[in-house]
Amino acid sequence: MAAPLASATTGRAVHDAEIRRAATLSATTRVEAWLVSDAGGPTVDARAQSMVRAPVRWTQHDGHVRTAMFSVWAGSPAGTTVPVWITAQGAVTSRGPATASEAVASAWMAAAVTFVVATALCTDGWKVFTKLVDSIRCKGWEKEWDEVEAELPEQFRNR
């Protein structure tokens, strides 16, 4: 019963957190920025893509040009466009507000992982408990058998 309860609780908490994040970022605006200079690091290939911090520049809706450091793919050339989200306070973020379906998907994924982990922990705990109880039971049987065997005639004793 612990696994479904933990799963439901975790799923609900993740959903609520995603909804709060969406509300916080609801005033964000998506802007196309461009790389000011080539991004350092190895060139991008299909085997190992990594992110590096590089300066990007964009023009705000009021016409002001802004520059900030932003995570981009390593090896990206200068002039590459990068989507950025600008909060109402002017901060730059790589993610916009979560949609309702993203919040639900995150909640279901967290609930499923929690259910699997809680079930595994409960199962492993039960296995450890039964082995411990069996060990105690076997020691008790051995002790009782030693007492019974001491009262048996010589011919019936364990040799």
Side-chain angles (χ1 to χ4, degrees):
M1 292 186 59
L5 181 61
S7 177
T9 303
T10 302
R12 183 63 185 183
V14 168
H15 184 265
D16 291 347
E18 286 292 319
I19 296 299
R20 279 193 306 277
R21 185 178 74 80
T24 302
L25 296 176
S26 64
T28 59
T29 306
R30 186 175 192 268
V31 176
E32 290 294 325
W34 63 93
L35 280 171
V36 175
S37 61
D38 292 342
T43 58
V44 178
D45 64 13
R47 291 170 293 168
Q49 294 182 346
S50 59
M51 302 293 282
V52 295
R53 307 258 314 150
V56 295
R57 184 171 291 148
W58 68 93
T59 304
Q60 291 183 309
H61 295 295
D62 61 4
H64 288 90
V65 176
R66 299 261 327 258
T67 303
M69 296 298 285
F70 197 73
S71 294
V72 297
W73 292 111
S76 297
T80 302
T81 58
V82 179
V84 297
W85 292 84
I86 312 300
T87 65
Q89 296 79 22
V92 181
T93 181
S94 60
R95 289 183 63 194
T99 63
S101 61
E102 288 174 334
V104 169
S106 294
W108 275 107
M109 182 61 70
V113 169
T114 302
F115 183 81
V116 169
V117 170
T119 301
L121 286 173
C122 290
T123 301
D124 289 346
W126 179 255
K127 287 180 181 179
V128 168
F129 174 74
T130 57
K131 286 197 182 289
L132 178 65
V133 168
D134 285 346
S135 173
I136 293 169
R137 188 180 307 129
C138 285
K139 287 178 183 175
W141 287 342
E142 286 176 14
K143 181 182 174 195
E144 288 179 26
W145 183 250
D146 288 342
E147 291 171 4
V148 169
E149 194 176 35
E151 296 175 9
L152 291 176
E154 184 67 32
Q155 63 188 18
F156 297 112
R157 289 188 187 173
N158 229 354
R159 296 174 195 202

